[in-house]
């Protein structure tokens, strides 16, 4: 991921890749993840509480710095 050092990451968000048809987007989803710990170059994130919040599937993970500048997305899979 291209982003600031872990100590400068202020937010982590998941975005569901969207699918739109006939001007309706049925899979739009934006979830902020809680940062639970930092150690060296590692950041621990808390997963969404349930499949109601984040149904199983692929999501784009972004890390944002204090200015709100996002990293390059990395795809993650929730099961």
């Amino acid at each position: 991921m291209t982003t600031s050092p872990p100590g400068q990451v202020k937010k982590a968000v998941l975005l569901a890749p969207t699918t739109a048809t006939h001007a309706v987007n049925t899979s739009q989803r934006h979830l902020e993840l809680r940062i639970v710990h930092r150690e060296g170059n590692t950041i621990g994130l808390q997963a969404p509480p349930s499949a109601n919040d984040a149904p199983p599937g692929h999501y784009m993970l972004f890390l944002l710095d204090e200015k709100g500048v996002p990293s390059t997305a990395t795809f993650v899979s929730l099961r």
Side-chain angles (χ1 to χ4, degrees):
M1 256 186 206
T2 304
T3 190
S4 304
Q8 294 178 4
V9 172
K10 298 300 178 195
K11 280 187 182 180
V13 295
L14 288 178
L15 294 177
T18 60
T19 55
T21 182
H22 299 82
V24 176
N25 185 343
T26 59
S27 64
Q28 190 173 25
R29 193 169 300 269
H30 173 276
L31 300 162
E32 189 168 333
L33 302 177
R34 194 172 133 238
I35 297 173
V36 293
H37 75 273
R38 300 168 195 264
E39 185 176 326
N41 288 327
T42 303
I43 297 174
L45 303 172
Q46 183 174 349
S50 74
N52 290 329
D53 297 298
H58 292 90
Y59 291 82
M60 295 178 289
L61 172 64
F62 291 92
L63 302 178
L64 289 78
D65 67 13
E66 65 277 350
K67 294 179 183 176
V69 177
S71 65
T72 301
T74 296
F75 273 90
V76 296
S77 179
L78 299 180
R79 298 179 184 186

